[in-house]
């Protein structure tokens, strides 16, 4: 029986990955931080099937202890300060967790069990001000946020440990991936929950940032499968995981509201643009507060290498992704009212 250690196990990706590994017969260990109140997050339904270890990405001793306890054959590093907007407010802690934290985890593996296979959650935000379309594993990086910069360090230190110590260390350059388990602070979940809440009469309007931002969106459940596939190969490598489709925030919003039974019409331009119901009620507004200091206008990933070498293929379409999120939030809002 293989042992796997997941950092960030209570998050969106961590929970789907834990489910996948349990299905495959792994003994699953997860790292979580001690809080004032116990919060199992997205793994509440799995808490009796996984082993949870208190540790922190900024505390190397705790990570060494986690490796000794788990004796992991595979480590999936999903822990991060993952909200881009927050990284401008807390750039130093973002760097400590998303950059130095990766080194801490790699060192723990090197010291305790160097043959362990390591997966690093890299991100399309490393491309930032994109240098070519679409983005591939060979596209130059140009991060546009403290988050993207910190993640780029994590990406390169993973490659460095692979080449310096011969470790089986991979990075998955994952483009935007969402799900019903996405945190409420992320724009996609903010939209799906607002659509449900407005439809059910418990919210009047939602305020969004740049509606023209274009992203390559997939479903987390598909993307964690790619993570696992990377660590099953004969040799370590880095892979772009994406859909090769790009959609605007406006398109995401339209599908979400239509799924909730509210077809939108758009009026105005720029920060004056609004989305209205057929009755003329304004339910979507643009608020400049939600614009980034340095905008990433478009991200579009080419997953050809992953499809060819890993045999990976996304299964959940963009429309199904949005519908699943809205249906989930409709039930959530109904239960709250």
């Amino acid at each position: 029986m293989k042992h796997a250690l997941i950092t960030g196990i209570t998050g969106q990706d961590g929970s789907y990955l834990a489910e996948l590994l349990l299905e495959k017969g792994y003994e699953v260990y997860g790292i979580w931080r001690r809080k004032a109140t116990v919060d199992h997050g997205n793994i509440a339904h799995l808490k009796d099937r996984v082993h949870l270890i208190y540790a922190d990405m900024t505390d190397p001793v705790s990570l060494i202890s986690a490796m000794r306890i788990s004796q992991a054959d595979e480590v999936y590093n999903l822990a991060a300060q993952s909200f881009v907007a927050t990284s401008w407010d807390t750039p130093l802690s973002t760097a400590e967790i998303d950059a130095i934290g990766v080194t801490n985890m790699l060192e723990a593996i090197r010291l305790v069990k160097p043959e362990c296979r390591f997966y690093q959650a890299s991100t399309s935000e490393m491309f930032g001000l994109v240098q070519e379309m679409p983005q591939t594993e060979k596209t130059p990086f140009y991060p546009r946020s403290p988050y993207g910069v910190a993640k780029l360090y994590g990406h390169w230190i993973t490659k460095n440990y692979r080449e310096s110590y011969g470790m089986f260390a991979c990075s998955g350059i994952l483009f935007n991936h969402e799900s019903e388990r996405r945190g409420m602070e992320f724009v996609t979940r903010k939209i799906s929950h607002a659509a449900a809440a407005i439809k059910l009469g418990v919210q009047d309007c939602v305020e969004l940032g740049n509606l023209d931002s274009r992203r390559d969106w997939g479903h987390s459940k598909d993307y964690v499968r790619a993570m696992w596939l990377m660590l099953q190969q004969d040799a370590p490598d880095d892979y772009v995981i994406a859909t090769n489709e790009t959609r605007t925030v406006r398109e995401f919003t339209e599908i979400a509201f239509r799924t909730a039974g509210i077809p939108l019409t758009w009026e105005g331009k720029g920060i004056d643009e609004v989305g209205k119901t057929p009755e003329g009620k304004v339910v979507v507004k643009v608020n400049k507060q939600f614009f980034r200091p340095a905008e990433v206008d478009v991200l579009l990933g080419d997953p050809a290498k992953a499809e060819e070498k890993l045999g990976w293929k996304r299964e959940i379409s963009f429309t199904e992704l949005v519908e699943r999120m809205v249906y989930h939030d409709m039930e959530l809002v109904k239960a709250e009212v």
Side-chain angles (χ1 to χ4, degrees):
M1 180 183 288
K2 283 186 179 179
H3 287 207
L5 176 64
I6 303 171
T7 74
I9 192 171
T10 61
Q12 168 188 258
D13 291 0
S15 63
Y16 281 117
L17 179 61
E19 289 174 350
L20 176 69
L21 296 177
L22 287 168
E23 288 172 11
K24 293 184 177 297
Y26 281 65
E27 194 79 12
V28 177
Y29 294 78
I31 284 176
W32 67 336
R33 289 179 297 170
R34 189 175 294 279
K35 297 180 181 179
T37 56
V38 175
D39 179 12
H40 289 97
N42 289 306
I43 60 160
H45 63 300
L46 301 176
K47 61 184 174 65
D48 296 326
R49 300 178 61 197
V50 300
H51 309 280
L52 296 173
I53 303 168
Y54 284 115
D56 193 287
M57 298 303 293
T58 64
D59 184 344
V61 174
S62 71
L63 297 179
I64 290 170
S65 176
M67 278 300 299
R68 287 176 175 158
I69 293 169
S70 66
Q71 286 298 306
D73 302 295
E74 297 172 3
V75 169
Y76 296 85
N77 184 36
L78 311 183
Q81 190 299 100
S82 58
F83 192 42
V84 177
T86 299
S87 73
W88 275 282
D89 298 324
T90 59
L92 296 180
S93 64
T94 298
E96 284 290 330
I97 299 166
D98 297 7
I100 303 303
V102 184
T103 313
N104 291 338
M105 191 72 250
L106 285 164
E107 275 293 284
I109 293 169
R110 189 174 72 86
L111 293 171
V112 177
K113 194 174 181 181
E115 69 274 19
C116 172
R117 298 188 170 199
F118 176 75
Y119 170 83
Q120 166 61 14
S122 290
T123 170
S124 57
E125 288 287 334
M126 299 187 307
F127 293 119
L129 187 63
V130 298
Q131 303 298 293
E132 65 178 8
M133 293 284 287
Q135 293 89 60
T136 72
E137 292 81 4
K138 296 180 179 179
T139 301
F141 298 117
Y142 196 138
R144 297 265 282 172
S145 65
Y147 169 78
V149 173
K151 277 291 193 175
L152 185 53
Y153 176 97
H155 178 79
W156 279 111
I157 201 67
T158 298
K159 187 185 291 281
N160 185 260
Y161 269 62
R162 180 168 76 215
E163 296 176 355
S164 299
Y165 301 114
M167 292 173 65
F168 195 109
C170 301
S171 285
I173 307 173
L174 271 57
F175 280 63
N176 293 66
H177 50 289
E178 317 297 329
S179 76
E180 307 89 297
R181 301 177 187 177
R182 185 51 117 176
M184 291 290 186
E185 70 273 22
F186 290 85
V187 67
T188 50
R189 189 71 194 285
K190 181 179 179 180
I191 293 167
S192 65
H193 190 270
I198 290 168
K199 176 63 178 179
L200 295 171
V202 298
Q203 184 174 330
D204 293 326
C205 182
V206 63
E207 294 186 345
L208 304 173
N210 185 3
L211 296 176
D212 293 313
S213 288
R214 304 186 70 87
R215 294 293 184 268
D216 183 326
W217 272 302
H219 195 287
S220 173
K221 196 169 186 178
D222 283 337
Y223 285 38
V224 300
R225 186 162 33 86
M227 299 175 189
W228 176 78
L229 285 168
M230 288 180 211
L231 297 196
Q232 312 313 309
Q233 304 306 302
D234 293 332
D237 206 346
D238 304 326
Y239 299 87
V240 163
I241 306 299
T243 70
N244 206 21
E245 294 177 3
T246 183
R247 309 287 186 124
T248 64
V249 173
R250 187 184 292 100
E251 288 177 89
F252 194 106
T253 306
E254 286 172 354
I255 295 174
F257 273 76
R258 185 170 68 238
T259 302
I262 309 172
L264 291 178
T265 56
W266 300 96
E267 293 182 9
K269 291 186 71 175
I271 61 170
D272 296 319
E273 186 171 6
V274 296
K276 293 184 174 182
T277 67
E279 296 76 34
K281 179 186 176 184
V282 174
V283 290
V284 180
K285 294 179 182 177
V286 175
N287 186 334
K288 207 168 184 179
Q289 172 191 338
F290 299 118
F291 281 64
R292 295 181 180 185
E295 188 60 71
V296 174
D297 295 316
V298 59
L299 292 171
L300 175 64
D302 181 357
K305 179 179 174 181
E307 291 176 351
E308 178 186 347
K309 294 194 173 183
L310 303 179
W312 177 82
K313 202 88 173 173
R314 72 100 173 248
E315 296 176 356
I316 300 171
S317 70
F318 174 73
T319 299
E320 184 183 350
L321 159 68
V322 181
E323 290 174 346
R324 287 171 68 147
M325 292 177 69
V326 174
Y327 292 144
H328 173 270
D329 284 336
M330 292 283 282
E331 295 303 313
L332 194 67
V333 174
K334 285 177 185 175
E336 291 171 350
V337 297

